[in-house]
Amino acid sequence: MDKKTLCDEFGNIETDLTSIIKRLSDMQQAVNTLAEQNVNLEIENRHLRERLMELEAATAEQDEEKQGLSKSRLNLEKIYEEGFHVCNICYGTRRENDEECAFCLDVIYGERR
C-alpha cells in the first residue's frame, strides 16, 4: 500500500469514527431524555395510584353508608341528588341552588343520622 492510499484510508476511518461518535452521542442524549421522562411518569403514576386508592376508599365508605338504606330511601336519595325536594313540606319542588334541606335529609336518612 502506498503512502497516499494509507493516508486516505486513515482519513476515511477518522471520518467514519467521527460519524459513529456523533451518532452515539445523539443516542445517549435520547436515552437520557427517555430515562428522565420515565422517572417523571413513574412519579406521576405513583401519585395517580395513591389518588385512585383515596377515591376508591371514599367510594367504599359511601357504598357502606348507602347499603343501610332501603330501596325506597335510595330512590328518594336519587331524586334529592337530582335537585328536588322529597320532604312532605316541599315535595317535588326544585331545591334552590341545590341547597340542603334538613327535612329532606331527615326523610331519607331518618334514624341513621
Side-chain angles (χ1 to χ4, degrees), residues 21 88 90 92 105:
I21 290 171
N88 59 355
C90 302
L105 294 175

Side-chain angles (χ1 to χ4, degrees), residues 59-99:
T59 303
E61 288 177 13
Q62 288 177 351
D63 289 345
E64 287 177 12
E65 289 176 7
K66 288 184 178 184
Q67 285 179 350
L69 296 177
S70 66
K71 200 172 193 179
S72 59
R73 287 186 185 222
L74 286 173
N75 287 335
L76 290 174
E77 182 183 50
K78 181 180 174 188
I79 293 169
Y80 180 78
E81 288 174 356
E82 290 175 358
F84 295 95
H85 283 278
V86 293
C87 62
N88 59 355
I89 298 168
C90 302
Y91 184 80
T93 59
R94 183 165 283 287
R95 293 184 293 132
E96 293 181 25
N97 300 324
D98 288 330
E99 292 179 356

